[in-house]
Amino acid sequence: MKTTLAVLALLFSLGHAVLQAAPLKVASLHPIVSDLARQVGGANVEVIDILKPGGDIHHFEPAPKDIAAMRGSKLLLASGKELETYLDKLRDSLGSGVKLVEVGEKIPSIPFVCHEEHDHAEHDHHHGEFDPHWWHSAENMKRAARIMSDVLSAADPANEAAYEAGAKAASKRFDELKKWAQKEVAKIDRKDRKLVTAHAAFGYFCKEFGFESMSVLGIGRNDDASSSHIAETIEEIREHGIKAIFPEDQANPKVLAEIARSTGVKIGDPLIADGTAKNAHTFETMLAHNVRAIVAALAPASAN
Ligand SMILES: [Zn+2]
């Protein structure tokens, strides 16, 4: 009897040790991807934020301290779609123990939204032909949740069921948020669903919520708009009766003020373009913020 008890006690403590197993260590290069890994992975993963909220996804390059922080991770999650132009270089310095996953890779791309009549040569296309900002869409986030569940399960098969449940729960929340956003957007007259922003980051948002998009600067945010492009934008704003233009949390170029002065359009609240705002760096907080700002500026006053 005593032996049985001792064996039971041993088994119990072993079981306990298994339950207390160290979480799967995952490093992430984008705050929205980090949050998704936390939502899907729950207590089974530990997420190391390499690019932290407040960082600049278009100009980040991992420093030696970042590479050191990635060590010991089983996975390194990137946003993908050529957003992280340094991945090839990084792959070499990672070592074989860390698997690099581009979460957005299999999400359908939409072409980088350019001004229709805009001369491509003026644009800064260094990020490729496709818009890399896929996380502005709830449908894409649902796809990403499934991808996240698959990659976490491959790295840690013992917790596959938990990851699947985590992805399902996250998708349900994204669906609810999308329904809320659609209801809000419906307050804007159809003819006014045109989104003029500083950099070309809102293609996926516009596609999902039925806006036409237009950007004053290119995709990378730092390129100066040419004077002919500004003149063209001003002309289009007048022609289409656009009501507001939007700066961004990390890009409030003087050119927007110039355009507002010339056209009389109002300047809306800054939108979160890259998902790295200190106060809103998850898909849910970012989308809610952006929808509120857009509706406040474009819907008739009576609808707000
Ligand atoms: Zn961007």
Side-chain angles (χ1 to χ4, degrees):
M1 184 65 186
K2 251 191 185 160
T3 352
T4 324
L5 276 179
V7 167
L8 277 176
L10 181 67
L11 282 177
F12 179 77
S13 64
L14 276 177
H16 199 68
V18 170
L19 284 176
Q20 297 282 300
L24 175 70
K25 206 171 151 189
V26 169
S28 165
L29 295 164
H30 194 291
I32 288 180
V33 172
S34 307
D35 176 63
L36 185 65
R38 289 190 178 97
Q39 292 205 37
V40 174
N44 294 316
V45 302
E46 180 195 349
V47 182
I48 318 287
D49 299 274
I50 302 297
L51 191 146
K52 294 177 181 62
D56 179 348
I57 56 170
H58 291 290
H59 300 101
F60 178 78
E61 282 255 3
K65 69 166 173 38
D66 298 312
I67 293 167
M70 293 169 198
R71 296 230 165 86
S73 298
K74 261 197 147 174
L75 298 170
L76 174 63
L77 304 173
S79 178
K81 291 205 192 297
E82 295 178 44
L83 177 69
E84 298 94 348
T85 49
Y86 51 82
L87 288 186
D88 281 339
K89 244 185 350 195
L90 183 59
R91 211 174 260 124
D92 298 334
S93 43
L94 273 180
S96 55
V98 191
K99 191 179 177 226
L100 177 60
V101 178
E102 294 179 54
V103 178
E105 196 183 11
K106 289 187 184 135
I107 290 170
S109 291
I110 60 172
F112 165 46
V113 183
C114 257
H115 236 167
E116 280 163 64
E117 304 137 60
H118 185 50
D119 177 5
H120 274 237
E122 287 175 17
H123 251 325
D124 180 359
H125 271 230
H126 67 281
H127 283 298
E129 291 300 307
F130 293 100
D131 183 348
H133 305 81
W134 56 264
W135 16 258
H136 281 295
S137 142
E139 292 307 317
N140 286 351
M141 286 302 290
K142 282 159 60 185
R143 290 184 182 105
R146 283 196 295 275
I147 292 165
M148 188 68 75
S149 161
D150 290 347
V151 298
L152 295 178
S153 299
D156 175 26
N159 288 309
E160 186 175 354
Y163 297 137
E164 278 175 12
K168 249 182 142 172
S171 292
K172 202 171 161 232
R173 287 192 289 275
F174 300 155
D175 261 335
E176 280 160 13
L177 187 65
K178 183 183 171 185
K179 275 189 205 136
W180 168 82
Q182 284 169 323
K183 255 172 124 176
E184 285 297 304
V185 165
K187 294 175 182 171
I188 304 170
D189 290 342
R190 218 165 270 276
K191 64 168 177 44
D192 290 330
R193 291 181 203 165
K194 297 186 182 94
L195 197 64
V196 185
T197 56
H199 95 286
F202 292 91
Y204 295 90
F205 174 91
C206 288
K207 185 167 182 257
E208 186 151 294
F209 296 103
F211 284 80
E212 252 177 73
S213 77
M214 211 164 124
S215 76
V216 177
L217 306 177
I219 196 132
R221 226 202 280 115
N222 57 343
D223 39 344
D224 289 322
S226 67
S227 52
S228 67
H229 185 40
I230 297 169
E232 212 175 274
T233 308
I234 288 174
E235 203 177 297
E236 285 204 37
I237 286 172
R238 288 196 178 124
E239 195 183 314
H240 296 286
I242 282 162
K243 289 166 92 177
I245 56 178
F246 297 89
E248 291 159 21
D249 59 320
Q250 291 183 324
N252 188 3
K254 286 197 185 88
V255 62
L256 286 194
E258 197 182 320
I259 291 170
R261 260 199 311 277
S262 314
T263 57
V265 291
K266 60 184 157 184
I267 294 187
D269 274 347
L271 302 183
I272 296 165
D274 288 333
T276 55
K278 280 198 170 137
N279 58 343
H281 48 81
T282 67
F283 168 66
E284 287 149 294
T285 52
M286 176 185 71
L287 188 77
H289 169 92
N290 288 342
V291 167
R292 282 194 190 103
I294 292 166
V295 171
L298 297 182
S302 58
N304 279 299

